[in-house]
Amino acid sequence: MAISKWCFPSNSGGDEQGLNNSLIETFNDSPIKSLAREIVQNSLDAALTGKQAIVEFKSFSLIRDAFPGCDELSNIMAKCQEFARNEKTVKFFEDAKKVLASDKIHFLRISDFNTKGLRGSDKERGTDWSNLVRSTGSSDKNGEKGGSFGIGKGAPFACSALRTVFYSTLDCEGKKASQGVSRLTSFKLGKFEDGSDDIAQGVGYFGIQEPHKILPNNEMLVLDESFKRETSGTDIYIAGLRENIYQDTNELQATIINEVLDGFIMAIWNEKLEVRVNSFVINKSTLPTIIEKFKDKLSSSTIMNFELLSKDVQWETIDISIANVKIGSLKLAISLRHDGNNKISMIRSTGMKILDKDKLCPTMRFVGIAVVEGKVLNERLIKLENPSHNKWEPKRFDPATSQKLLNTMYDLIKDKLNEFAEKTFSSTVDIEGAGEFLPDDISAGEEKQPTKKTEVINRIVNIEKKVKTKVDSVANLSTFEIGEDLREKVDSEGNIIEGTDEEGFMHHGGKSHGDGERDPEEVSFEEGDGNTGKKVVLVKAKHFRIFCIDKKNQFYRLIFTPNESSKKAYLAINKVAELSEKEAVKILSVKGIDNPTIIKNKVGYVELEEGLTKSIDVQIEGQDYCSMEVKIYAYKG
């Protein structure tokens, strides 16, 4: 039986390699988070048809004598240190030698099950084995699979104080293989016949050395005594786990679990994936327990997505087309929350989240998930992914068409959000979580009743008028894209924010009568009208939204629920500049008001009924989106 050893091939007069390896540096900022994401993605891609991929992370210690080729590798580290030209590299190898001299060396084993394993270990090129173990920046993945850059393999090395990883596999065809890889620096191997230095490449392999190549061992590698592989899959052993990673096992576990849940909760929910982190098992049935145990460590997005999936939520399908040809669809779920992050998690068909898309509907508090469905659409979007797989960047492939595709996707999601928003303003909705802040008995003048336990629901309910609602009459609109809407100038409790000009019922710049009344000649709608015997008041609204529905023709939709009734009311609309300077808009047309009268920036008349939602479309002069202030005035008396 051939004996495996460490071998660093000669660079044959080629480039010398230093410690700053881009394959590894890419993941140095958050090595464990990157590791979890890259490993789980690879295992999902390699899952056997119809099987749930299982990924296991297990930390353990190995006695020095059991470390494959420990003395050889330590001697090579010393040569690298001697060859080094800067202080950073010298220190790295000094620390690495100390790790290899320890009685016990810390390892992290990552194993997957119900997967194909690394096929092609007996071939030199173009196989699963060679792409992972023997190449850099190379990947044969295609279709709906991720990892097309071939640099994710650098994540395990970023977690190693030795930059050394061992691979072992039993593939679905029954072939076994194992090999070690160490990504160090160049060093002096010896001398050529002409007296010049023979310099080694920076990447070496632990395997069977032949005259012109290094072959893997055709047996599996067993380093963790508590583990024995009996079914197909891959084992990755990270040697010399970095001290800041292994010294706090609880933090290591929490970091892996957080990243797995953030990136793959949909795959777990759909039972495509199970992840084991030391003694913790994460699958669909254990999700509630894991979420509760690690909730202080998890991102709010992860928790909200889990709670969304746990509800009987309505999923909608949005067809996506290019040049009128359907290429796939988005499966969309939305839920209102008083603490919503206002983001839609964009998830690949495999169940991996790519990004949390924001700036879709700034004021409606919600959480949402959109799953990309269809082979063609998934393939197209994968071409736009950055190496970290957390963004879609149109410049990476056919920029013009790709940008149009992304715009189409996001605009269609905005349309659905706006449809959803309109429904919420036609009735009062108990936003998830808000119910706990409302009393069970709101009858005025009665004795306080014992608190009842109420169930928070996500359906239309009725709320009695006796609830005192703090509202605002001014809608402030920021519309940079179609569908983006207002931010009301109120705080989380509905109080008017200090510094706005809408304290009480007063209209900025006029004289006050103390009860909301304005001088009629200053706020009068009708030019030269004779309504001097009537007072004009500023009407507040319980809900007020305004958003662009047609950029080309500059149509904006106003949706509001007045808190008082009036037979005769009108609207005044102003543009608002960055320094709060106001400029009257020019209203061109109106929909939603019978026989409207338009005078400059005012339009009327409209009958108001307290609590009844009104929807009015207004066309204004101009070409660009703008921030706007809308006020409602009513004649009284």
Side-chain angles (χ1 to χ4, degrees):
M1 179 178 175
I3 299 176
S4 295
K5 58 181 294 187
W6 283 102
C7 177
F8 284 72
S10 170
N11 71 358
S12 300
D15 291 344
E16 295 179 7
Q17 296 172 324
L19 194 64
N20 294 326
N21 186 323
S22 59
L23 184 71
I24 300 172
E25 295 293 333
T26 301
F27 304 102
N28 268 340
D29 289 341
S30 51
I32 286 295
K33 291 179 68 174
S34 301
L35 174 75
R37 188 172 180 84
E38 295 293 337
I39 291 290
V40 173
Q41 174 191 255
N42 288 340
S43 297
L44 277 173
D45 290 343
L48 293 169
T49 303
K51 295 286 188 178
Q52 180 187 56
I54 299 174
V55 183
E56 182 178 51
F57 295 81
K58 171 72 182 303
S59 55
F60 68 99
S61 295
L62 184 70
I63 61 172
R64 185 181 186 280
D65 290 345
F67 189 108
C70 186
D71 289 335
E72 278 185 290
L73 188 59
S74 183
N75 290 335
I76 290 167
M77 297 278 188
K79 293 180 180 180
C80 290
Q81 183 180 12
E82 183 180 341
F83 195 72
R85 298 178 180 176
N86 62 70
E87 187 175 335
K88 175 186 174 182
T89 304
V90 170
K91 186 176 188 312
F92 171 84
F93 287 111
E94 185 63 36
D95 293 341
K97 288 190 301 181
K98 290 178 181 178
V99 171
L100 288 172
S102 303
D103 292 335
K104 289 187 177 181
I105 300 170
H106 295 276
F107 273 73
L108 180 66
R109 173 177 59 81
I110 306 123
S111 301
D112 63 25
F113 307 89
N114 292 336
T115 61
K116 299 171 185 176
L118 297 176
R119 294 170 296 178
S121 57
D122 57 340
K123 296 180 175 60
E124 292 188 8
R125 301 183 64 198
T127 67
D128 296 340
W129 175 270
S130 62
N131 286 335
L132 180 63
V133 180
R134 302 299 303 268
S135 63
T136 301
S138 174
S139 174
D140 283 347
K141 290 186 180 181
N142 49 47
E144 299 177 73
K145 297 181 179 180
S148 57
F149 289 89
I151 66 172
K153 67 195 70 175
F157 293 90
C159 298
S160 169
L162 306 173
R163 291 198 172 184
T164 299
V165 173
F166 293 92
Y167 300 93
S168 178
T169 190
L170 169 61
D171 70 23
C172 57
E173 298 170 352
K175 294 186 178 66
K176 302 175 183 178
S178 61
Q179 193 160 32
V181 182
S182 193
R183 298 185 180 276
L184 305 176
T185 67
S186 293
F187 60 91
K188 189 183 295 186
L189 281 172
K191 294 282 187 180
F192 287 116
E193 293 181 358
D194 62 0
S196 61
D197 291 332
D198 183 9
I199 306 299
Q201 297 179 21
V203 181
Y205 301 90
F206 184 77
I208 299 169
Q209 186 174 6
E210 291 197 352
H212 302 291
K213 53 188 172 183
I214 306 164
L215 300 176
N217 196 308
N218 60 2
E219 293 294 332
M220 289 187 291
L221 185 64
V222 180
L223 297 178
D224 180 2
E225 293 181 352
S226 66
F227 171 71
K228 181 180 179 181
R229 175 168 293 283
E230 296 179 343
T231 59
S232 64
T234 301
D235 307 310
I236 299 176
Y237 294 92
I238 300 175
L241 200 61
R242 283 166 48 173
E243 183 177 3
N244 63 331
I245 294 175
Y246 75 73
Q247 63 186 358
D248 189 341
T249 302
N250 291 332
E251 184 64 26
L252 170 62
Q253 293 173 163
T255 301
I256 294 174
I257 291 171
N258 182 30
E259 187 63 22
V260 166
L261 292 178
D262 180 65
F264 300 95
I265 193 167
M266 197 72 197
I268 295 170
W269 185 262
N270 289 334
E271 299 184 279
K272 293 181 179 180
L273 175 68
E274 176 178 293
V275 178
R276 303 166 183 173
V277 185
N278 287 335
S279 61
F280 295 101
V281 177
I282 310 169
N283 55 37
K284 186 175 182 178
S285 64
T286 65
L287 265 178
T289 303
I290 295 295
I291 294 285
E292 177 62 27
K293 182 172 183 61
F294 290 92
K295 62 183 179 182
D296 293 338
K297 297 287 186 180
L298 302 178
S299 68
S300 60
S301 177
T302 296
I303 295 173
M304 288 181 189
N305 283 344
F306 168 70
E307 291 172 349
L308 173 60
L309 292 170
S310 299
K311 296 165 51 179
D312 186 19
V313 68
Q314 183 71 36
W315 290 87
E316 292 196 48
T317 299
I318 304 173
D319 290 338
I320 306 297
S321 300
I322 293 181
N324 297 320
V325 177
K326 181 181 175 182
I327 61 171
S329 61
L330 297 178
K331 188 178 177 183
L332 178 67
I334 308 166
S335 177
L336 289 178
R337 293 183 62 118
H338 75 285
D339 59 347
N341 59 10
N342 289 19
K343 296 177 180 179
I344 300 289
S345 293
M346 307 299 296
I347 298 178
R348 197 197 282 167
S349 62
T350 58
M352 183 175 83
K353 184 179 80 175
I354 301 301
L355 56 93
D356 287 316
K357 177 60 181 171
D358 58 3
K359 298 181 180 178
L360 293 168
C361 188
T363 46
M364 187 173 73
R365 307 301 296 180
F366 66 92
V367 61
I369 293 175
V371 182
V372 180
E373 297 188 327
K375 182 178 180 181
V376 176
L377 181 56
N378 272 279
E379 287 178 350
R380 184 63 182 252
L381 291 174
I382 285 172
K383 293 177 181 178
L384 309 186
E385 288 179 22
N386 63 350
S388 297
H389 307 291
N390 59 11
K391 284 183 183 179
W392 285 320
E393 298 175 344
K395 64 183 179 181
R396 294 185 177 276
F397 178 77
D398 192 2
T401 304
S402 295
Q403 185 63 66
K404 185 176 181 180
L405 171 61
L406 292 179
N407 289 344
T408 297
M409 288 171 50
Y410 296 144
D411 285 345
L412 289 171
I413 292 175
K414 289 175 185 178
D415 289 343
K416 287 295 182 182
L417 287 170
N418 283 326
E419 288 176 17
F420 193 71
E422 283 196 51
K423 293 177 184 177
T424 69
F425 285 100
S426 64
S427 300
T428 305
V429 175
D430 181 15
I431 299 176
E432 182 180 350
E436 62 185 273
F437 297 103
L438 296 175
D440 295 314
D441 190 335
I442 53 179
S443 301
E446 297 180 6
E447 277 191 11
K448 185 176 180 181
Q449 300 297 316
T451 301
K452 302 175 184 177
K453 185 176 180 181
T454 59
E455 179 184 1
V456 178
I457 58 176
N458 189 31
R459 60 179 175 82
I460 296 175
V461 297
N462 293 319
I463 297 179
E464 296 181 28
K465 285 165 52 178
K466 294 177 183 178
V467 177
K468 182 179 178 182
T469 307
K470 297 180 180 180
V471 293
D472 187 24
S473 60
V474 178
N476 181 31
L477 169 67
S478 297
T479 48
F480 299 104
E481 296 183 42
I482 292 176
E484 290 198 17
D485 54 3
L486 65 85
R487 294 182 177 88
E488 292 183 351
K489 293 182 178 179
V490 293
D491 62 20
S492 60
E493 297 181 356
N495 300 306
I496 297 173
I497 298 171
E498 184 178 354
T500 68
D501 55 86
E502 291 307 316
E503 300 181 21
F505 291 88
M506 300 303 100
H507 176 56
H508 183 68
K511 298 176 183 177
S512 167
H513 294 290
D515 60 354
E517 181 183 351
R518 306 300 303 161
D519 285 332
E521 65 272 15
E522 291 190 29
V523 295
S524 175
F525 170 43
E526 297 175 300
E527 290 184 340
D529 77 359
N531 288 309
T532 55
K534 297 181 180 180
K535 65 179 181 179
V536 180
V537 296
L538 188 61
V539 177
K540 291 192 176 185
K542 296 178 182 178
H543 304 292
F544 208 141
R545 292 190 64 231
I546 177 171
F547 50 91
C548 182
I549 58 173
D550 184 347
K551 179 182 178 183
K552 180 180 179 180
N553 296 305
Q554 284 292 288
F555 268 102
Y556 292 82
R557 178 161 296 166
L558 287 65
I559 304 175
F560 60 92
T561 307
N563 72 332
E564 58 183 289
S565 300
S566 172
K567 294 291 185 181
K568 195 174 185 181
Y570 65 89
L571 309 177
I573 306 176
N574 293 295
K575 292 182 180 180
V576 181
E578 291 184 3
L579 298 178
S580 298
E581 297 175 352
K582 300 175 185 177
E583 176 187 352
V585 303
K586 183 176 181 181
I587 299 176
L588 301 179
S589 66
V590 178
K591 297 178 182 178
I593 297 179
D594 294 333
N595 302 316
T597 298
I598 300 172
I599 301 176
K600 296 180 180 178
N601 69 323
K602 302 183 181 73
V603 59
Y605 287 105
V606 58
E607 184 175 345
L608 304 179
E609 182 178 339
E610 180 184 354
L612 182 64
T613 298
K614 303 289 292 186
S615 177
I616 300 172
D617 294 346
V618 178
Q619 183 184 27
I620 67 172
E621 185 177 70
Q623 296 180 340
D624 298 326
Y625 290 124
C626 59
S627 295
M628 287 194 291
E629 173 190 82
V630 181
K631 296 180 182 179
I632 311 168
Y633 293 101
Y635 284 97
K636 296 286 186 178

